[in-house]
Amino acid sequence: FKTYEEIPITQKRVTKNYTDTSDEGGDFLCSINYIETELGCFVLDITHTQSSMEATEKLVAQMLIRDNVSVANIESNNGGRGFARNVERDLRLLGNYMCRINWFYQSGNKETRISTQRFEVLNMIYFPKGWEHRFPLFHGHLTNHRLSGQKKLDDAADVVTGIIENMTKKAGKIIGFAMN
């Protein structure tokens, strides 16, 4: 995986988020803030946890505010639509009116998507130098995904794949907006 010490100056620069929620069971919530540029996507922060949705809704809202995210894309599968609405509510209660929350249904086969986008992920996602220490659980799941064969370790790979799909517009998704 590529790393960066400093995000280069570019003409295109949009701060985004991609979140895959977790339901009950062995899934992990994985939420990544990143800056999308014409050179690639530069990761700013990651939340990767098995905590409850009630706890992670607040964590994600705070992370979106911290990095001044403009657009957050949240998968609506497995309760994600309600999660997206609650994150938007928390943002507004915290005084953030800038971030647009999009919820969407991810209909593609996860393993096929991960497999077909792996080279784009390796070429276009940049992690901060030392990311293996800053995000050890995420790093372990992402780097060991293929080796383990364990389905519970695919959430990290799924999210970086989704980031690339959004960047290259290869995703076949139904997009909606979280509204009360």
Side-chain angles (χ1 to χ4, degrees):
F1 292 96
K2 293 182 176 183
T3 62
Y4 71 91
E5 289 187 45
E6 195 172 302
I7 299 172
I9 296 171
T10 59
Q11 291 183 20
K12 176 186 173 188
R13 187 181 179 104
V14 181
T15 307
K16 295 184 174 184
N17 169 279
Y18 191 104
T19 299
D20 180 8
T21 62
S22 65
D23 56 359
E24 302 285 326
D27 281 351
F28 283 76
L29 170 126
C30 187
S31 183
I32 299 179
N33 286 354
Y34 61 98
I35 295 177
E36 183 178 300
T37 74
E38 61 272 33
L39 300 175
C41 297
F42 295 83
V43 173
L44 300 172
D45 201 0
I46 299 170
T47 297
H48 189 65
T49 181
Q50 282 186 306
S51 296
S52 70
M53 279 193 172
E54 293 78 18
T56 56
E57 289 163 355
K58 291 174 184 6
L59 287 174
V60 169
Q62 292 166 352
M63 188 171 80
L64 297 173
I65 290 170
R66 205 170 35 249
D67 288 325
N68 296 314
V69 171
S70 299
V71 178
N73 296 303
I74 300 174
E75 285 189 18
S76 64
N77 312 37
N78 300 319
R81 188 172 174 190
F83 180 92
R85 286 193 308 266
N86 291 337
V87 167
E88 183 174 37
R89 180 203 63 220
D90 289 345
L91 284 171
R92 303 310 176 241
L93 289 172
L94 292 168
N96 181 294
Y97 308 103
M98 178 188 82
C99 184
R100 185 178 78 226
I101 303 291
N102 297 327
W103 55 266
F104 65 94
Y105 178 74
Q106 178 55 265
S107 59
N109 177 278
K110 189 184 291 191
E111 286 304 317
T112 301
R113 291 175 42 251
I114 292 168
S115 177
T116 58
Q117 300 296 316
R118 69 185 179 279
F119 295 115
E120 287 95 337
V121 167
L122 290 171
N123 287 324
M124 301 302 291
I125 301 274
Y126 294 81
F127 292 97
K129 188 173 184 172
W131 69 289
E132 65 277 9
H133 304 294
R134 189 170 164 203
F135 312 111
L137 181 64
F138 173 85
H139 178 271
H141 286 190
L142 185 61
T143 58
N144 292 315
H145 171 255
R146 285 282 173 223
L147 301 175
S148 71
Q150 293 181 12
K151 192 153 179 55
K152 72 176 187 171
L153 299 181
D154 63 4
D155 299 306
D158 184 32
V159 170
V160 294
T161 299
I163 290 170
I164 290 301
E165 288 173 334
N166 280 346
M167 180 184 179
T168 61
K169 307 296 184 229
K170 290 183 181 177
K173 301 175 181 175
I174 301 168
I175 302 282
F177 298 95
M179 297 192 150
N180 296 333

